Amino acid sequence: MTSPIAISVSDRFRDAAAEWGDDRLMDVEDALEVKAEQALLEIEHLVAGETDVTFEVDIDGGTIRHEPSDDLAAFLERQADAHGVDPADVLEMHVDLFARAFLEDGGTGSESTPDDPRPGR
């Protein structure tokens, strides 16, 4: 593994995690952690075939720290070099792309269903 990469938790990611967690009756902190894990696992699996990730979410600081596999670190470096940005920016972009993954409504926002007992749903 390489050095950890710290990325910011975007509003898009935070909103998606809150929506996802609300649908599962989870608090926002737990939802952010699960969504971060989902996104990082997807990225690591697609790039390096990995099935485990090492990361931490700092809710108060609004950051996710991930220890990328060597393959992912090399991928991020290549992408960063090609576009003149920092590898952390590339990882942040990819994490943001997965922000709305796994939302049951296809990412368009929660919609009411007759069987949903929660107020306003």
Side-chain angles (χ1 to χ4, degrees), residues 38-54:
Q38 287 175 342
L40 293 169
L41 275 170
E42 286 295 323
I43 296 162
E44 281 282 4
H45 184 71
L46 289 171
V47 172
E50 295 291 327
T51 57
D52 191 29
V53 291
T54 303

Side-chain angles (χ1 to χ4, degrees), residues 109-116 120-121:
S110 292
E111 297 181 18
S112 296
T113 61
D115 296 331
D116 195 335
R121 298 290 177 142

Side-chain angles (χ1 to χ4, degrees), residues 3-8 39-40 43-44 47 64-68 72-73 75-77 79-80 85-98:
S3 299
I5 297 175
I7 62 171
S8 297
L40 293 169
I43 296 162
E44 281 282 4
V47 172
I64 299 170
R65 292 181 59 79
H66 173 54
E67 293 181 26
L72 179 57
F75 171 81
L76 296 173
E77 280 290 331
Q79 291 288 305
V85 297
D86 190 69
D89 294 332
V90 177
L91 180 60
E92 187 171 331
M93 178 191 67
H94 285 291
V95 167
D96 248 14
L97 287 173
F98 282 99

Side-chain angles (χ1 to χ4, degrees), residues 15-67:
D15 291 346
E19 179 182 330
W20 185 86
D22 186 47
D23 288 344
R24 287 155 184 79
L25 304 176
M26 296 173 74
D27 64 36
V28 174
E29 291 82 13
D30 289 341
L32 277 167
E33 189 164 324
V34 172
K35 288 298 287 179
E37 182 176 31
Q38 287 175 342
L40 293 169
L41 275 170
E42 286 295 323
I43 296 162
E44 281 282 4
H45 184 71
L46 289 171
V47 172
E50 295 291 327
T51 57
D52 191 29
V53 291
T54 303
F55 72 100
E56 62 184 47
V57 178
D58 177 1
I59 302 298
D60 297 328
T63 59
I64 299 170
R65 292 181 59 79
H66 173 54
E67 293 181 26

